[in-house]
Amino acid sequence: MKGPIVRMSGVGMWVPERVLTNSELEKMVDTSDEWITTRTGIKERRIADEKTTAADMGARAGLAALDDAGMAPEDVDALIVATATPDRLLPATACDVQAMMGAKNAVAFDVWGACTGWLYGINIAQGLIGTGQARNALIIGTEKLSSIVDWKDRSTVVLFGDAAGATVVVPAATDGRGVVATYMKSDGSLGDLLFRPPARGLNPSIPIDVVALGEGGNTIKMAGPEVFKSAVRSMCEAAEIALKDAGLTAGDVDLLIPHQANIRIIEATAKYAGIPMDRVWVNIDRYGNTSSASIPVSIYEARACGRIQAGSVLLLVAFGSGFTWASAVVRW
Ligand code: UT7
């Protein structure tokens, strides 16, 4: 097996201070702490205030990751932002983040991979660095999901939260540490199971018609149980393929870091992969589903509390709207 092309040299995160608990949601929609906890594992999530944009959050996480890597904003060659909640449709959120951070020497662009976007970004960065087009990359997952949920829809509003996470990747050394395997996949034929209609309806030449968009306007629509089944199937597949590609088995994995969408999806993936829950990172109870931010935030927290050390083997797995799914094995 050839050695890794890139390694992660810095990690950062940023979450809003405002905590929204299940008991507060009980007063907003017809739900209960008991339902949310048992069906999803979520106890609370963070909600950004009106003035805080996805770009603001991403820039803060990005600066923290650069600081951790010992780099300045001007050092960044490629700035990749994964988001499903851009503040505006033009320009790319990455360009807004670039301006906020002062990363003036970078090429900046977005990746639309929903919850899988940050892992797609890692793959793209690996390609850019592997072909010599960039010396380093800052990959940010930032989401202000509170701005696109239907606050009257109990089936989705309880699930999502706001957060940003970021990592710096640089060329790997020859010590075997770094991103040792990656896998990416998509299936656009299932796009209608989890989507967000455009503000002007599906035909942009037709004037805004909230009725045509259905209840809740252009907010997230999800066929929960169908998405659940695909998420489990795809994450299990992705975990298996990346591990095999890395020439490793479940016993070699120090920490499985799955996208945090539902504790039951996390448990099913871990069980299929043969990894006991004491080697699985879970923070969905505190943040809910933060889409593309969920894995970099998890990496940050796991390292901060000592669960990731030099040489630790991580298995990263994500799934999201598209459908999209991906995985990576990292020797830290
Ligand atoms: O980020 C990547 C993509 N997202 C996911 O991977 C999410 C995947 N899906 C899920 O996590 C789960 O399907 C949900 C958490 C969204 C829903 O859980 P479920 O166990 O699949 O519930 P369900 O949709 O089958 O609904 C069961 C019942 C329904 O009531 P009836 O028809 O049985 O009377 C729902 O109306 O639960 C009801 N329900 C709720 N009850 C209380 C749905 N949402 C709520 C709620 N509070 N918030």
Side-chain angles (χ1 to χ4, degrees), residues 95-146:
C95 293
D96 286 336
V97 171
Q98 173 183 31
M100 286 170 182
M101 288 179 48
K104 58 185 183 187
N105 296 312
V107 56
F109 58 90
D110 285 2
V111 178
W112 274 90
C115 307
T116 314
W118 179 84
L119 265 178
Y120 280 3
I122 293 289
N123 270 272
I124 295 165
Q126 183 172 250
L128 290 172
I129 291 171
T131 53
Q133 295 178 85
R135 288 164 302 176
N136 60 63
L138 174 61
I139 304 104
I140 300 172
T142 183
E143 303 287 4
K144 191 177 180 183
L145 288 149
S146 60

Side-chain angles (χ1 to χ4, degrees), residues 182-232:
T182 53
Y183 173 71
M184 293 190 285
K185 199 85 188 280
S186 318
D187 183 354
S189 72
L190 299 172
D192 287 347
L193 295 175
L194 173 51
F195 72 105
R196 182 183 172 215
R200 298 184 77 84
L202 291 173
N203 182 346
S205 65
I206 296 173
I208 294 172
D209 182 349
V210 175
V211 178
L213 287 174
E215 188 85 16
N218 71 316
T219 52
I220 296 181
K221 322 281 179 212
M222 178 164 71
E226 287 80 4
V227 176
F228 187 101
K229 281 180 230 148
S230 286
V232 172

Side-chain angles (χ1 to χ4, degrees), residues 29-32 35-36 39-40 42 114-115 153-160 194 222-232 235 259-265 289-291 319-321 323:
V29 287
D30 179 15
T31 191
S32 66
W35 191 96
I36 303 170
R39 305 310 293 165
T40 73
I42 301 166
C115 307
D153 175 13
R154 69 174 183 173
S155 69
T156 49
V157 73
V158 302
L159 303 176
F160 298 102
L194 173 51
M222 178 164 71
E226 287 80 4
V227 176
F228 187 101
K229 281 180 230 148
S230 286
V232 172
M235 286 173 72
H259 167 51
Q260 310 280 310
N262 186 316
I263 188 66
R264 293 180 293 134
I265 295 175
N289 182 344
T290 61
S291 190
F319 172 87
S321 168
F323 290 153

Side-chain angles (χ1 to χ4, degrees), residues 12-17 48 52-53 56-58 60-62 64 162-166 293 297:
M13 66 173 277
W14 191 84
V15 290
E17 272 178 29
T52 304
T53 64
D56 290 326
M57 298 194 295
R60 286 170 195 164
D162 301 336
V297 164

